[in-house]
Amino acid sequence: MSTFLVGMSSFLSLRKPCISTFIFRRAYYLFIHLHSFSFYAILRKNYKYYIMSCYSQILREFVMRIDLLRPVWHPLTWLAFIALPFIGPHLPLYFGWESGPFELFQAFILFIGGCVSFYIVFRPKPDISLSLANAVPKALLLAITFIWWFMCLRELSWGAVFLSPLGFDPIEGYKFSAHEQLPYYTAIHIVCGILAFFSFLAIIRCRYYLLAYWKVRRFPLPEVILAVVMQLFATTAEGHLLPLSSLWLAVGVPPQIVEEWCELLSYLSLLVGQIIFLFNRR
């Protein structure tokens, strides 16, 4: 049915410059604007061009509705945190291990966050008439990319989790040590130090852009605050800030499950904040 609607809208686009058609018939509707050139692309059997034009319109519609992420994501995050005492006791203990599913998914989220910012670097240049609040310099994007991938590699112990473990604990799981297992551990500090220095210089150089983002409220402050709060909960579960690990044990949730769960929610919040920051123009 959706194919029929798309085809009909292409024929109708000869009479109207732009037509919106529904793809999903029930609760969710996705508007796709099909212009008149889509019909001529089909006539010339240029299906690849036709598909890419539809993809660009879908992406444009997604960007236009990017503001819906914030009012949806924040309640979902708190709901996921509140549901932890009910879900946590039923989760396997290895979910909270260092090389467990939660930590691997965290590394995946951090890698995706870096890929998103790195993709924007090579995107076509925006209109020169854009203000500072709408433009994002490449130096700042590269600094953000470095931060994402730095945290990703840190979650993976710089690759030590892919080697044979040094030991095993029935509660905390497998033991890995980048200092003992990696021969290039010293080079990691040197390379990361150099990249961190240039990232700091890039942020200082782009300070006027950051001030412009702050003035127009483009900076994803709500997502950053939510990520910090989740990191604080993860720290308290670990027992460093406040000794609340016994409280989680009282409700039947292992502290390592709480730590990894809160860190996962924190990284997801940062990813949502970056998407809102990069694709939502003020």
Side-chain angles (χ1 to χ4, degrees), residues 69-216:
L69 273 178
R70 180 165 291 166
V72 171
W73 173 249
H74 286 256
L76 285 179
T77 304
W78 287 109
L79 184 62
F81 178 76
I82 295 173
L84 185 58
F86 305 97
I87 302 175
H90 305 285
L91 293 176
L93 190 60
Y94 67 87
F95 271 46
W97 291 355
E98 187 174 354
S99 58
F102 280 166
E103 184 154 325
L104 294 179
F105 191 57
Q106 292 171 17
F108 175 75
I109 294 299
L110 294 171
F111 177 75
I112 293 298
C115 290
V116 171
S117 57
F118 195 67
Y119 160 74
I120 303 297
V121 174
F122 297 98
R123 198 173 59 171
K125 293 183 178 180
D127 188 4
I128 58 175
S129 62
L130 290 178
S131 61
L132 287 178
N134 284 326
V136 182
K138 291 185 177 181
L140 182 61
L141 290 171
L142 290 175
I144 295 174
T145 303
F146 165 73
I147 295 173
W148 279 110
W149 287 347
F150 173 84
M151 294 190 298
C152 175
L153 293 175
R154 186 175 175 274
E155 287 293 332
L156 297 175
S157 298
W158 308 103
V161 296
F162 301 110
L163 303 177
S164 299
L166 297 176
F168 177 77
D169 185 86
I171 303 298
E172 299 181 358
Y174 295 101
K175 300 294 183 180
F176 300 95
S177 176
H179 178 71
E180 299 180 11
Q181 293 182 274
L182 300 179
Y184 54 87
Y185 183 74
T186 304
I188 292 175
H189 291 278
I190 298 176
V191 174
C192 289
I194 295 174
L195 293 177
F197 175 73
F198 283 106
S199 298
F200 177 75
L201 291 181
I203 294 175
I204 295 299
R205 181 182 178 184
C206 303
R207 61 187 181 275
Y208 298 110
Y209 289 91
L210 297 176
L211 292 176
Y213 302 152
W214 184 266
K215 289 181 180 179
V216 299

